């Protein structure tokens, strides 16, 4: 007994199966979590090393190169990049996609531990971190209070931060800005020198007299006691009375005699504001395996409780950005598109089938298939994200295909006068082979996408899995539920009867018959003039591929920017600008942006500079995160608002302004055009980078072209005469330590406040007055072993110059990145124009040109999708060879595939969409649809030839009998995609690119 026979004879069995599937599917659907995108694994490890006071050159030589050499030998490394900035080194290790990030992190940690002893003594211990999209902040908010600023910061750090961090799923809570308490010991250089003391001695004495020292245990007859020297300073007065040395007259020199001891606050490194109000910024990140929507919900629920508990201090939270809002909006938009698609497909079924009961029989395939897909999603850990929901939306038209074909053939047997059950069994058996073929063709189109690696694989894998599972389930439904229902409820429609529905159906049938007549005439003409037909198709194919794509009418890019209503304005001043001056200019920019009617909130971080996922401290830079009012309430798009801001700020003196929209991954987009110039030495790399810079500036559509390494940061260099220094008996380490302590400060010691049992940093540094001018530095006194006082300028040449702000390396070679924004031109078009210009340039052969950002992602994505498309075509052919036991008939189907590109590329050109990963995905889906229609025609034509018709008549008859199911399946597919193609909701820019293709 076949599966269809079982369904018709034992309907209760099938009803029970699908009842269970429905109930379990509904229950598990409620358990699925919402996410913006599928989990994207980024096997990238960043090694960060702080080297206080080090110039970029010193950081590169003493830190970066050592760590680079250590980690470069690890297995499965794709590339190693490094950046050396003032006082900090970043070494980024990117692994191939198959690498396990946790194991990779352990390997990098082991290699770094091996070379820690070779780093400078003043360098901090390197820290390792994984770069993952899961670690970007879910919530950004500002907090204000009427408390004293230091007490407020300490409350946030000790109480509120800990309270939020313990919530389930919350990973890291980062505080930005605020007044942090710090004990400052401001050394008076003149007084120190007058007492004959050295900086190193003063620092050593302070640290040596502010320490708790465990000494051991005392063991009595029955008890044991721990002995500990309680040497911590307990008050400011006690700190001031610390004896540092002896004066020439024999008296005690106390710390208060040579320094100002201040219970103050740490110097500002970042300043946070929300809507112009100074606040403490709070960035909430989730744990790697946590759900962003759940975390946001829990944190939002906790905030009113915290405000209530500290109502007397008037603590108020104001959320600037919530990543879960876009996630839910985008998911709800796709679910709305899904529901609308189902309704439209149901309307198409009703129009073609002229019967509510026949339409319902077909439409039952959609929920039956989807409920089973929800079970699969739960079992394999998939979430309700844009890609899985988009897959469900786009597959609506596919889900009814098999049932349409089966029901149409069953209806054909009913018209012959056969009994319902016989017609259902014969109709399904007769068409079953074709139904199996068209379903497997759809499946093999998407199977290669589940096997793609890299970023593209991470994005599209869940989409493809959902489509494959739901499509296979629709085949099972067409073999069981559809014939079972048809055997009970299907009936012939008598259109001659009166009634509104019958009148409409008769009108539609008249229209359909006229269309069929025209189609049959066109088909006959094409068969009789096949050479002309082939020539016309070839011309159209060349025009659409070579003309539209090659002619630049269809641009290329990685992903079309989605209008999230959020973007980041990055402002940079001259490299030597102070934080105070940067804050002043940032205030002016805030006021200009805040007056724009489209702007809802601004969240400012003065002293930060970011490129993609990496955020760095910089006194001359600021980030302004801008949130706009809802899309339906404004006339301008996010890009248009960003362009308006650029126009308003372009005359701001000394400020470089960049506007980066928040991308689909939830972070400010990286600069789309990134050209990597590397070579054997920095001079040749610099010359080549200048050439690339000039080439990019000449390409239409580029904007804000800049180099990653720019001279101009003022610095004071101290060149030591080693012979003189040796004669004095002083080491470079003595000089360096004294200068570092004096200018950067020593913060290794802690002050314990016994009132709240909290430790605060003690910073020992020169008084601000003694670190303003070169003359102060030149007069700094050192003591020889014999006690003779000498000044720094006696053995060193001190002068001012400029140096690079940032030094970069790639795979241990000096590297310069050339960045460019795009303005009205797709990044892929600019990349193609640059490659053409590069071929005509005279850049030396030893210089290596590479790409990053959108250009790299586009190249990898297009390559992966091209291979997936090729594999899909091959699989389609092999499936049809196996099903038809012929190598010739499948070729007839395959010849229809290139023709599909004509309409796809023409649609992209007319709607001004680009070739990106989603529109190419749409083309891959189109291959399956075209092959399905061709299979229906070829299968019927072959069947007619076996019944004695010649090829011409067989094709005409196949076109006549298969036109209705082909029209139904195609229109159902197109109508099902129309809500997405016309959508103006979240993410519509790239969703519609897929749908239009």
């Amino acid at each position: 007994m076949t599966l269809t026979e079982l369904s018709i004879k034992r309907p209760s069995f099938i009803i029970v199966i699908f009842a269970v599937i429905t109930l379990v599917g509904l229950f598990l659907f409620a358990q699925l979590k919402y996410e913006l995108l599928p989990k994207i694994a980024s096997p990238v490890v960043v090694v960060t090393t702080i080297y206080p006071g080090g110039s970029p050159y010193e950081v590169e030589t003493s830190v970066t190169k050592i760590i680079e050499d250590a980690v470069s030998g690890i297995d499965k490394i794709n590339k190693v990049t490094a950046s050396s900035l003032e006082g900090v080194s970043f070494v980024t290790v990117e692994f191939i996609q198959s690498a396990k990030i946790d194991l990779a992190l352990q390997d990098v940690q082991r290699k770094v531990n091996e070379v820690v002893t070779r780093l400078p003594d003043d360098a901090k211990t390197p820290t390792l971190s994984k770069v993952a999209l899961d670690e970007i902040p879910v919530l950004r908010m500002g907090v204000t209070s009427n408390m004293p600023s230091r007490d407020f910061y300490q409350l946030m750090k000790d109480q509120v931060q800990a309270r939020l961090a313990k919530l389930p799923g919350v990973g890291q809570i980062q505080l930005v800005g605020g007044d942090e308490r710090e004990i400052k010991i401001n050394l008076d250089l003149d007084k120190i020198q007058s007492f004959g003391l050295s900086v190193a001695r003063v620092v050593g004495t302070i640290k040596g007299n502010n320490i708790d020292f465990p000494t051991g245990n005392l063991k009595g007859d029955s008890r044991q006691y721990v002995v500990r020297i309680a040497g911590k300073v307990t008050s400011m007065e006690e700190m001031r009375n610390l004896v540092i040395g002896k004066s020439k007259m024999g008296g005690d020199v106390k710390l208060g005699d040579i320094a100002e001891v201040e219970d103050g606050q740490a110097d500002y490194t970042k300043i946070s504001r929300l809507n112009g109000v100074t606040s403490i910024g709070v960035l909430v990140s989730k744990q790697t395996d946590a759900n962003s929507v759940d975390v946001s919900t829990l944190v939002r629920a906790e905030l009113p409780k915290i405000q209530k508990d500290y109502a007397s201090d008037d603590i108020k939270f104001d959320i600037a950005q919530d990543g879960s809002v876009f996630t839910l909006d985008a998911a709800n938009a796709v679910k709305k598109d899904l529901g609308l698609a189902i309704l439209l497909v149901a309307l198409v079924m009703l129009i073609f089938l002229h019967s509510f009961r026949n339409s319902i029989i077909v439409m039952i395939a959609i929920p039956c298939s989807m409920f089973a897909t929800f079970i699969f999603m739960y079992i394999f850990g998939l979430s309700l994200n844009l890609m899985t929901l988009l897959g469900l939306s786009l597959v609506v038209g596919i889900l009814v295909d098999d049932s349409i074909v089966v029901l149409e053939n069953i209806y054909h047997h009913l018209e012959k006068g056969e009994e319902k059950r016989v017609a259902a069994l014969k109709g399904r058996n007769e068409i079953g082979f074709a139904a199996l073929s068209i379903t497997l063709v759809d499946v093999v189109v998407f199977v290669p996408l589940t096997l793609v690696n890299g970023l593209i694989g991470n994005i599209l894998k869940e989409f493809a899995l959902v489509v494959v599972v739901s499509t296979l389930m629709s085949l099972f439904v067409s073999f069981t539920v559809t014939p079972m229902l048809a055997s009970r409820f299907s009936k012939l429609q008598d259109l001659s009867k009166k009634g509104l529905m019958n009148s409409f159906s008769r009108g539609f049938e008249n229209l359909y018959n006229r269309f069929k007549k025209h189609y049959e005439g066109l088909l006959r003409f094409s068969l009789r003039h096949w050479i002309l037909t082939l020539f016309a198709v070839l011309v159209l194919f060349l025009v659409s591929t070579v003309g539209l794509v090659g002619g630049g009418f269809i641009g290329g890019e990685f992903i079309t920017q989605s209008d999230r209503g959020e973007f980041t304005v990055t402002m940079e001043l001259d490299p030597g600008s102070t934080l105070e001056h940067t804050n002043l200019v940032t205030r002016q920019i805030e006021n200009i942006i805040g007056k724009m009617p489209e702007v809802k909130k601004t969240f400012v971080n003065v002293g930060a500079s970011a490129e993609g996922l990496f955020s760095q401290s910089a006194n001359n830079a600021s980030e302004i995160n801008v949130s706009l009012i809802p899309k339906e309430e404004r006339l301008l798009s996010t890009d248009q608002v960003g362009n308006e801001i650029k126009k308003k700020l372009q005359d701001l003196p000394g400020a470089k302004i960049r506007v980066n929209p928040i991308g689909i991954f939830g972070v400010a987009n990286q600069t789309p055009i990134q050209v990597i110039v590397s070579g054997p030495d920095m001079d040749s790399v610099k010359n080549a980078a200048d050439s690339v810079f000039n080439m990019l500036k000449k390409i239409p559509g580029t904007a804000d072209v800049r180099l990653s390494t720019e001279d101009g940061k003022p610095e004071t260099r101290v060149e030591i005469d080693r012979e003189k220094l040796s004669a004095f008996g002083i080491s470079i380490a003595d000089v360096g330590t004294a200068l570092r302590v004096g200018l950067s400060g020593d913060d290794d010691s802690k002050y314990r406040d016994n009132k709240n049992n909290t430790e605060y940093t003690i910073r020992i540094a020169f008084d601000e007055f003694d670190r303003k001018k070169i003359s102060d530095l030149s007069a700094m006194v050192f003591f020889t072993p014999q006690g003779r006082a000498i000044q720094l300028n006696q053995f060193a040449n001190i002068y001012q110059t400029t140096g690079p702000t940032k030094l970069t390396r790639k795979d241990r070679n000096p590297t310069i990145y050339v960045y460019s924004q795009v303005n009205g031109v797709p990044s892929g078009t600019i990349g193609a124009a640059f490659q053409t210009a590069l071929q005509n340039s005279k850049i030396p052969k030893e210089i290596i040109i590479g790409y990053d950002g959108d250009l790299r992602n586009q190249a990898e994505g297009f390559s992966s999708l091209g291979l997936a498309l090729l594999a899909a075509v091959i699989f389609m052919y092999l499936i049809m060879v196996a099903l038809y036991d012929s190598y010739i008939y499948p070729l007839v189907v395959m010849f229809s595939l290139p023709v599909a590109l004509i309409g796809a590329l023409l649609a992209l050109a007319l709607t001004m969409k680009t070739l990106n990963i989603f529109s190419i995905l749409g083309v891959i889906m189109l291959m399956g649809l075209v092959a399905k229609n061709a299979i229906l025609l070829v299968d019927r034509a072959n069947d007619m030839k076996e019944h004695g018709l010649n090829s011409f008549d067989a094709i005409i008859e196949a076109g006549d009998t298969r036109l209705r199911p082909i029209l139904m399946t195609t229109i159902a597919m197109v109508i099902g995609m129309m809500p997405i193609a016309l959508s103006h909701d979240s993410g519509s820019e790239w969703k519609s690119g897929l749908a239009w293709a």
Side-chain angles (χ1 to χ4, degrees):
M1 183 181 293
T2 64
L3 187 60
T4 303
E5 286 182 279
L6 178 65
S7 304
I8 295 173
K9 295 178 179 179
R10 294 281 303 274
S12 58
F13 178 71
I14 298 300
I15 291 173
V16 168
I17 289 177
F18 279 94
V20 171
I21 290 175
T22 300
L23 292 174
V24 174
L26 284 172
F27 174 76
L28 294 182
F29 173 76
Q31 311 302 313
L32 294 175
K33 301 295 185 181
Y34 284 98
E35 289 288 1
L36 181 61
L37 288 171
K39 186 176 179 60
I40 297 178
S42 300
V44 177
V45 177
V46 180
V47 184
T48 305
T49 309
I50 305 296
Y51 184 21
S55 70
Y57 281 119
E58 293 169 330
V59 171
E60 181 180 77
T61 303
S62 303
V63 178
T64 302
K65 287 184 177 180
I66 294 174
I67 295 177
E68 265 187 312
D69 293 339
V71 301
S72 294
I74 299 175
D75 292 337
K76 297 185 177 182
I77 283 183
N78 185 20
K79 66 177 181 179
V80 177
T81 57
S83 299
S84 301
L85 295 86
E86 182 181 0
V88 63
S89 163
F90 297 100
V91 178
T92 304
V93 186
E94 182 179 325
F95 293 84
I96 62 176
Q97 197 67 31
S98 61
K100 301 295 184 183
I101 184 62
D102 293 329
L103 297 178
L105 187 67
Q106 295 175 15
D107 290 339
V108 175
Q109 182 71 70
R110 177 170 49 83
K111 289 294 184 180
V112 170
N113 290 341
E114 292 175 359
V115 297
V116 165
T117 56
R118 295 171 52 193
L119 300 180
D121 294 337
D122 296 335
K124 306 292 184 182
T125 303
T127 59
L128 275 68
S129 59
K130 297 182 291 185
V131 174
L133 295 173
D134 293 327
E135 296 178 1
I136 64 174
V138 176
L139 285 167
R140 290 179 171 90
M141 49 192 173
V143 193
T144 57
S145 172
N146 59 13
M147 298 174 64
S149 58
R150 287 196 326 183
D151 297 340
F152 177 42
Y153 182 88
Q154 203 62 41
L155 175 69
M156 289 295 301
K157 183 178 179 181
D158 294 341
Q159 303 295 327
V160 177
Q161 184 178 18
R163 186 163 168 177
L164 292 176
K166 71 179 183 180
L167 295 175
V170 173
Q172 182 183 14
I173 304 292
Q174 182 181 354
L175 302 182
V176 181
D179 295 336
E180 184 176 8
R181 185 182 179 186
E182 185 177 80
I183 309 304
K184 291 177 174 288
I185 300 179
N186 302 315
L187 303 178
D188 188 316
L189 192 56
D190 291 336
K191 290 182 179 179
I192 290 176
Q193 294 169 1
S194 67
F195 283 114
L197 301 173
S198 68
V199 173
R201 179 178 176 181
V202 172
V203 173
T205 303
I206 294 173
K207 294 165 72 173
N209 284 278
N210 182 43
I211 186 174
D212 287 342
F213 207 92
T215 59
N217 299 319
L218 282 177
K219 294 183 179 180
D221 294 335
S222 60
R223 298 180 66 84
Q224 177 173 296
Y225 303 92
V226 176
V227 179
R228 178 177 63 87
I229 296 177
K232 281 280 188 179
V233 176
T234 58
S235 67
M236 290 293 100
E237 191 62 29
E238 188 177 352
M239 179 74 73
R240 295 185 181 94
N241 290 328
L242 282 179
V243 176
I244 303 299
K246 295 289 184 179
S247 67
K248 295 177 181 178
M249 303 299 294
D252 291 336
V253 178
K254 298 180 180 180
L255 181 59
D257 298 331
I258 59 171
E260 177 190 10
V261 180
E262 176 190 2
D263 188 353
Q265 64 188 43
D267 293 338
Y268 289 116
T269 57
K270 291 182 181 179
I271 301 172
S272 177
R273 282 192 295 274
L274 180 59
N275 292 335
V277 178
T278 302
S279 60
I280 295 179
V282 180
L283 309 181
V284 181
S285 301
K286 72 182 185 68
Q287 296 173 359
T288 301
D289 296 328
N291 178 263
S292 58
V293 176
D294 291 345
V295 169
S296 174
T297 302
L298 289 172
V299 172
R300 279 178 170 271
E302 186 68 19
L303 297 184
K305 299 177 183 178
I306 296 176
Q307 291 181 163
K308 182 179 179 180
D309 292 343
Y310 297 98
S312 59
D313 299 318
D314 196 26
I315 290 182
K316 293 182 179 179
F317 292 86
D318 192 350
I319 296 176
Q321 291 177 329
D322 185 350
S324 68
V325 173
F326 181 78
T327 297
L328 291 175
D329 287 347
N332 291 331
V334 179
K335 287 196 295 184
K336 183 180 71 175
D337 293 340
L338 171 59
L340 188 56
I342 292 174
L343 291 177
L344 291 175
V345 170
L347 181 62
V348 171
M349 296 301 101
L350 181 61
I351 291 173
F352 272 92
L353 298 175
H354 315 310
S355 169
F356 282 104
R357 46 170 88 184
N358 286 340
S359 300
I360 292 173
I361 290 172
V362 172
M363 293 303 297
I364 283 178
I366 295 178
C368 289
S369 303
M370 286 189 176
F371 291 144
T373 306
F374 295 146
I375 298 174
F376 167 84
M377 291 172 62
Y378 181 84
I379 292 174
F380 288 91
L382 277 58
S383 61
L384 288 172
N385 55 66
L386 282 180
M387 299 314 300
T388 54
L389 289 171
L390 188 60
L392 291 172
S393 296
L394 293 176
V395 85
V396 167
I398 298 176
L399 297 182
V400 297
D401 284 359
D402 296 328
S403 294
I404 287 173
V405 173
V406 170
L407 187 63
E408 178 71 16
N409 212 48
I410 292 173
Y411 197 81
H412 181 66
H413 281 271
L414 287 174
E415 289 177 333
K416 293 180 179 181
E418 296 178 2
E419 195 267 332
K420 288 182 183 179
R421 299 191 182 190
V422 175
L425 183 58
K426 284 186 177 182
R428 208 293 298 165
N429 290 338
E430 188 176 83
I431 203 68
F433 206 63
L436 179 63
S437 300
I438 63 177
T439 302
L440 291 181
V441 163
D442 264 331
V443 169
V444 298
V445 162
F446 290 98
V447 165
L449 293 174
T450 66
L451 306 176
V452 172
N453 292 320
L455 181 62
I456 296 298
N458 287 329
I459 294 175
L460 299 182
K461 188 172 294 183
E462 292 191 7
F463 170 87
L465 285 172
V466 165
V467 173
V468 167
V469 172
S470 56
T471 302
L472 287 174
M473 195 63 199
S474 72
L475 178 65
F476 179 65
V477 171
S478 70
F479 279 19
T480 55
V481 177
T482 301
M484 179 200 72
L485 293 175
S487 69
R488 262 69 179 178
F489 303 107
S490 186
K491 71 173 184 176
L492 290 173
Q493 290 296 118
D494 185 2
L495 301 183
S496 63
K497 294 182 179 179
K498 294 182 179 181
L500 181 62
M501 185 66 186
N502 286 337
S503 298
F504 176 81
S505 298
R506 286 194 297 270
F508 177 81
E509 283 300 313
N510 291 332
L511 182 65
Y512 170 76
N513 290 328
R514 288 200 298 269
F515 176 80
K516 185 169 69 170
K517 186 176 179 180
H518 288 299
Y519 165 71
E520 185 176 329
L522 181 62
L523 183 58
R524 290 180 183 274
F525 177 85
S526 301
L527 293 175
R528 292 194 180 104
H529 304 85
W530 61 273
I531 295 179
L532 178 61
T533 302
L534 289 177
F535 177 76
V537 169
L538 180 61
V539 170
L540 289 173
F541 180 77
L542 292 176
V543 168
S544 61
T545 54
V546 179
L548 295 179
V549 179
F553 293 97
I554 300 176
E557 58 186 338
F558 177 55
I559 295 179
T560 301
Q561 173 61 37
S562 179
D563 190 342
R564 289 182 59 133
E566 298 174 338
F567 56 85
T568 298
V569 178
T570 302
M571 186 275 295
E572 287 186 9
L573 298 176
D574 293 335
S577 299
T578 63
L579 186 68
E580 290 75 15
H581 179 57
T582 303
N583 184 41
L584 183 64
V585 177
T586 305
R587 278 281 193 185
Q588 299 177 31
I589 296 174
E590 281 180 85
N591 292 334
I592 294 173
I593 295 176
K595 293 177 182 178
M596 298 182 68
E598 296 83 6
V599 174
K600 181 180 180 182
K601 289 185 178 181
T602 57
F603 184 65
V604 178
N605 192 347
V606 182
S609 175
E611 179 71 33
L613 293 173
F614 297 97
S615 181
Q616 303 160 5
S617 295
N619 286 342
N620 65 319
S622 293
E623 281 183 359
I624 305 174
N625 295 288
V626 182
S627 299
L628 304 181
I629 60 178
K631 186 188 300 185
E632 57 273 10
E633 298 177 15
R634 51 185 159 92
L635 299 177
L636 301 180
S637 68
T638 299
D639 287 341
Q640 290 171 328
V641 175
N643 291 332
E644 284 294 316
I645 289 176
K646 286 182 181 179
K647 292 178 183 178
K648 292 177 181 291
L649 301 180
Q650 63 182 357
D651 297 329
L652 204 63
K656 299 177 183 178
I657 306 296
R658 295 195 301 275
V659 178
N660 290 332
I662 302 296
I664 190 64
F665 301 113
V667 294
N669 279 347
Q670 290 183 334
T671 306
I673 307 297
Q674 299 184 29
V675 182
I676 307 171
V677 184
S678 58
D681 61 88
M682 181 52 78
D683 290 336
S684 61
V685 170
K686 184 67 170 65
N687 293 332
D690 289 337
S691 300
V692 170
F693 175 88
N694 293 326
M695 278 187 274
L696 277 176
K697 288 205 73 172
K698 296 177 182 177
I699 297 176
T702 58
D704 187 27
V705 183
R706 68 190 193 281
L707 302 176
S708 62
T709 300
E710 296 181 359
D711 288 335
K713 184 174 180 63
E715 64 179 30
T716 301
R717 291 188 182 177
V718 180
E719 291 185 353
I720 294 177
D721 187 320
R722 293 179 181 273
E723 292 184 3
K724 291 181 180 180
L725 191 68
S726 177
F728 289 133
I730 303 174
S731 68
I732 291 180
D734 296 332
V735 178
T737 300
L739 287 175
R740 186 187 69 80
V741 170
L743 301 178
S744 297
D746 185 297
D747 58 357
D748 291 338
S749 188
K750 301 293 182 182
Y751 169 76
R752 180 181 297 155
D753 190 333
N754 289 328
K755 293 180 180 179
N756 53 20
N757 199 31
T758 302
E759 290 192 338
Y760 302 95
T761 298
I762 297 176
R763 183 172 298 276
I764 309 169
F766 288 164
D767 186 272
E768 187 176 351
F769 181 80
D770 290 329
R771 43 191 170 100
K772 280 188 174 182
K773 298 177 290 185
I774 290 182
S775 57
D776 298 330
L777 198 63
S778 302
M780 185 174 178
V781 174
F782 294 84
F783 292 92
T784 67
Q786 295 78 27
R788 177 188 170 190
I790 57 173
Q791 291 186 342
L792 180 62
N793 57 16
Q794 291 182 253
F795 57 83
N797 179 27
I798 306 171
Y799 61 94
Q800 284 189 329
T801 183
T802 58
T805 58
K806 180 180 180 182
L807 297 175
T808 52
R809 292 166 61 84
K810 179 176 179 289
D811 296 331
R812 293 189 284 184
N813 287 324
T815 299
I816 294 178
Y817 287 75
V818 185
Y819 299 110
S820 174
Q821 298 282 357
V822 298
N823 185 17
V825 178
S827 57
T829 303
I830 293 176
F834 171 73
Q835 290 178 341
T836 302
L838 188 63
Q839 293 174 356
N840 301 323
S841 67
K842 297 181 180 179
I843 292 180
K845 294 183 179 179
E846 65 269 16
I847 297 297
I848 301 173
I849 303 294
Y851 303 96
D852 211 339
D854 278 5
L855 293 181
R856 175 192 169 197
N857 291 333
Q858 179 184 333
E860 293 179 353
F862 282 20
S863 175
S864 298
L865 289 177
L867 289 175
L869 178 58
L870 178 61
V873 171
I874 294 174
F875 285 161
M876 278 193 289
Y877 175 73
L878 295 177
I879 284 290
M880 286 184 287
V881 168
L883 291 174
Y884 291 109
D885 193 23
S886 171
Y887 294 94
I888 303 300
Y889 290 140
L891 291 178
V892 178
V893 175
M894 304 306 291
F895 282 133
S896 65
L897 299 183
V899 183
L901 290 175
I902 299 173
L905 296 177
L906 183 61
L908 291 176
L910 290 176
T911 56
M912 293 184 290
K913 302 294 181 182
T914 60
L915 268 178
N916 52 68
I917 64 170
F918 291 107
S919 56
I920 293 177
L921 178 60
V923 171
I924 294 176
M925 291 185 65
L926 181 62
M927 295 296 105
L929 177 62
V930 171
K932 285 163 52 176
N933 292 338
I935 287 173
L936 288 175
L937 285 173
V938 173
D939 180 76
R940 184 63 176 177
N942 290 339
D943 187 51
M944 291 297 99
K945 287 175 68 176
E946 291 178 0
H947 285 76
L949 294 181
N950 59 44
S951 297
F952 185 90
D953 292 335
I955 294 174
I956 295 298
E957 201 281 338
D960 181 62
T961 57
R962 288 288 183 259
L963 178 60
R964 185 183 293 269
I966 288 176
L967 278 178
M968 290 176 65
T969 56
T970 303
I971 293 176
M973 190 74 175
V974 172
I975 290 295
M977 291 185 181
M978 287 307 293
I980 295 174
L982 301 177
S983 173
H984 294 285
D985 293 307
S986 302
S988 60
E989 286 78 3
W990 53 268
K991 290 191 297 182
S992 61
L994 191 161
W996 279 118

